[in-house]
Amino acid sequence: MATLGSAQKKHKVTVVGSGNWGSAIAKIVAENTHARPDLFEPGVRMWVYEEKVTVPKSSKHYDDSSELSTKPQNLTDLINHLHENVKYLPGIPLPHNITAMPSLEDSVKDSTILIFNLPHQFIGGICDQLKGKILPYARGVSCIKGVHVSKDGISLFSEAIGSKLGIYCGALSGANIANEVAQEKFSETTVAYDPPPVDSRSPTPRGLSPSSSHANLRGQAHQDSSGATSKVQLKPQPSSLPPLDHETLKTLFHRPYFHVSMVSDVAGVSLGGALKNIVALAAGFMDGLGWGDNAKAAIMRVGLLEMVKFGKEFFSSVEAATFTEESCGVADLITSCSGGRNARCARLAVERGVSIDEVERTELNGQVLQGTSTAKEVHGFLRSKGREKEYPLFTAVYRESILRSPRGQLILIECVGVLEGSARAEKIPDMIAT
């Protein structure tokens, strides 16, 4: 039986992505790899999309006598010299064992654990570049919230990564505002990882009863989130590495200020990070109407029920407890409905009497709300299944918007797109009534 003490090699970790959340996760991971050299190579590589950056005058690193401050520099050079991501995570010191790298290929070389943390629209392109460049037995964790929904079905970002690269990939999601996590304010997260049978070292996972069956788990096929046999032909991790199970992954991500709960429900964790954005829009509508906390609590209750129902109906592997007990579910829902940008923009749309699209243009500096795109995708999926009436809140959010004509008159139009709807926010309680 393989044990931690018998491992001859250590896991090498790369974080693919360096925005505020990517940098925050790299900070956490680097602190833990440094603390546990028995499990991990101490150095953590972080892939950075290279760009020219000038140190802002407000930064503690600004020095008008240094070219590092007075002339644009490569972001990777600034991170490696200042040990801070001055553009995307300013004011937060990064551990010295993080190395920022502009080459995607070099950053993942020989890494056994790949942590993906980048905008979801770049997943395909990044994975295309990584094909054939990673270890065949590498394993991944996606920190990218959301799922892709179409009329044909629902796909998880973690499984999209795994399918393209021929590896297994889990997911991390929770009530995690990047700046608060980076500032070491207490929070929780959920890491979903269902260790593939091919990686089994023994019939009994560590920490469970030794009386379990002595079946040959390595011979079992790995299942995807739908319960079907995965099409990805996985290569087993070498026995010379520490086993990559729940215990090892918790050691990689858990900090005194960042508590980790491990589950095997990858689909539930991924869905929680997507569906809560639809509910947050409805909560924002309630705030915009000035209806108070009672109304918002009612929306959150109904929304949580629909999240659970959606997951259970369309994914055989989903556990209700993932939504009701984990940070990726109810906690992330509370955070998003209380102060997330989906709720804030929905509130502003109602207060100003304009469309969500208009608020996006004026408030988000070119970014797009995930809630609006998810609402559209989920509605199209439900409509294709004839299940709209079974999800009244999701349907109401899709149909809801307040628009103004050029003359400033309040108008209602037929539902032709996301939140361009046939009902006003005031009608949402009637639409979700049982």
Side-chain angles (χ1 to χ4, degrees):
M1 177 184 297
T3 64
L4 289 178
S6 65
Q8 301 169 351
K9 297 181 180 179
K10 317 302 177 189
H11 285 290
K12 184 175 292 187
V13 183
T14 293
V15 178
V16 181
S18 58
N20 62 342
W21 187 220
S23 297
I25 285 293
K27 173 182 180 294
I28 289 169
V29 168
E31 290 169 352
N32 285 327
T33 59
H34 180 265
R36 292 299 303 270
D38 57 318
L39 293 174
F40 309 105
E41 294 287 345
V44 172
R45 292 175 291 191
M46 179 173 70
W47 175 68
V48 177
Y49 178 77
E50 193 69 282
E51 55 185 305
K52 293 291 185 179
V53 173
T54 301
V55 177
K57 292 184 178 181
S58 59
S59 171
K60 67 178 182 180
H61 301 291
Y62 183 80
D63 180 359
D64 59 11
S65 65
S66 171
E67 288 190 355
L68 282 176
S69 298
T70 58
K71 294 183 178 180
Q73 304 291 328
N74 290 331
L75 180 57
T76 52
D77 293 336
L78 288 176
I79 292 173
N80 291 331
H81 183 79
L82 303 175
H83 303 291
E84 178 182 318
N85 189 332
V86 295
K87 180 171 183 178
Y88 296 108
L89 197 64
I92 303 297
L94 297 178
H96 286 213
N97 57 320
I98 292 177
T99 300
M101 304 183 72
S103 168
L104 181 62
E105 181 177 343
D106 290 344
S107 71
V108 301
K109 184 179 180 181
D110 296 330
S111 289
T112 57
I113 301 176
L114 306 174
I115 302 172
F116 295 87
N117 206 325
L118 64 161
H120 67 86
Q121 62 267 32
F122 300 125
I123 292 175
I126 292 297
C127 288
D128 286 340
Q129 295 180 59
L130 289 177
K131 286 180 181 178
K133 304 298 193 304
I134 65 172
L135 291 175
Y137 53 81
R139 297 291 181 257
V141 175
S142 169
C143 300
I144 307 164
K145 285 189 178 183
V147 295
H148 175 69
V149 185
S150 68
K151 295 179 181 179
D152 299 325
I154 307 164
S155 59
L156 312 182
F157 293 148
S158 57
E159 289 188 341
I161 292 169
S163 177
K164 277 184 169 288
L165 298 180
I167 64 173
Y168 175 76
C169 186
L172 179 153
S173 184
N176 306 141
I177 297 174
N179 288 337
E180 293 183 8
V181 174
Q183 293 166 17
E184 302 188 3
K185 295 179 179 179
F186 172 69
S187 64
E188 299 176 309
T189 201
T190 310
V191 175
Y193 193 87
D194 187 15
V198 72
D199 287 344
S200 175
R201 306 291 176 83
S202 65
T204 306
R206 287 184 290 162
L208 299 182
S209 169
S211 62
S212 299
S213 167
H214 287 270
N216 178 17
L217 297 183
R218 279 192 172 226
Q220 297 179 9
H222 187 66
Q223 294 183 329
D224 62 22
S225 57
S226 69
T229 299
S230 175
K231 296 179 181 179
V232 178
Q233 299 297 314
L234 298 176
K235 300 292 185 182
Q237 287 213 314
S239 58
S240 56
L241 285 169
L244 194 54
D245 54 14
H246 281 191
E247 184 177 331
T248 301
L249 281 172
K250 185 168 185 175
T251 301
L252 182 61
F253 288 105
H254 187 91
R255 296 296 295 161
Y257 59 87
F258 190 67
H259 286 193
V260 171
S261 174
M262 296 296 307
V263 299
S264 297
D265 185 5
V266 179
V269 169
S270 301
L271 285 170
L275 299 178
K276 54 96 178 182
N277 289 323
I278 304 177
V279 186
L281 290 173
F285 291 144
M286 299 299 102
D287 279 339
L289 292 168
W291 282 4
D293 293 335
N294 292 337
K296 188 157 64 174
I299 290 295
M300 292 165 65
R301 182 193 70 82
V302 174
L304 181 60
L305 290 175
E306 291 194 13
M307 289 167 63
V308 173
K309 184 176 182 178
F310 189 95
K312 295 288 289 181
E313 180 171 356
F314 299 113
F315 286 88
S316 61
S317 62
V318 162
E319 299 288 340
T322 304
F323 297 95
T324 60
E325 300 178 12
E326 296 293 336
S327 180
C328 64
V330 63
D332 200 9
L333 178 65
I334 293 170
T335 297
S336 298
C337 291
S338 301
R341 63 181 185 176
N342 287 283
R344 179 172 63 88
C345 288
R347 172 179 60 80
L348 291 174
V350 174
E351 289 176 344
R352 297 174 182 176
V354 299
S355 69
I356 286 276
D357 288 342
E358 178 63 24
V359 176
E360 284 181 337
R361 284 192 293 269
T362 59
E363 299 292 328
L364 298 184
N365 297 317
Q367 294 182 311
V368 178
L369 290 176
Q370 286 188 322
T372 55
S373 59
T374 302
K376 179 179 181 180
E377 292 173 354
V378 167
H379 181 266
F381 175 77
L382 291 174
R383 183 168 54 190
S384 72
K385 300 291 184 181
R387 301 290 289 169
E388 291 172 276
K389 292 183 179 179
E390 301 301 319
Y391 295 87
L393 182 61
F394 291 171
T395 300
V397 169
Y398 172 76
R399 291 176 174 172
E400 161 54 35
S401 178
I402 295 181
L403 303 176
R404 287 187 180 272
S405 69
R407 296 179 181 178
Q409 296 174 327
L410 193 64
I411 61 173
L412 300 176
I413 63 172
E414 290 301 317
C415 182
V416 294
V418 180
L419 306 175
E420 295 177 355
S422 54
R424 292 171 60 178
E426 292 93 330
K427 297 297 183 181
I428 288 181
D430 292 337
M431 297 177 72
I432 65 174
T434 57

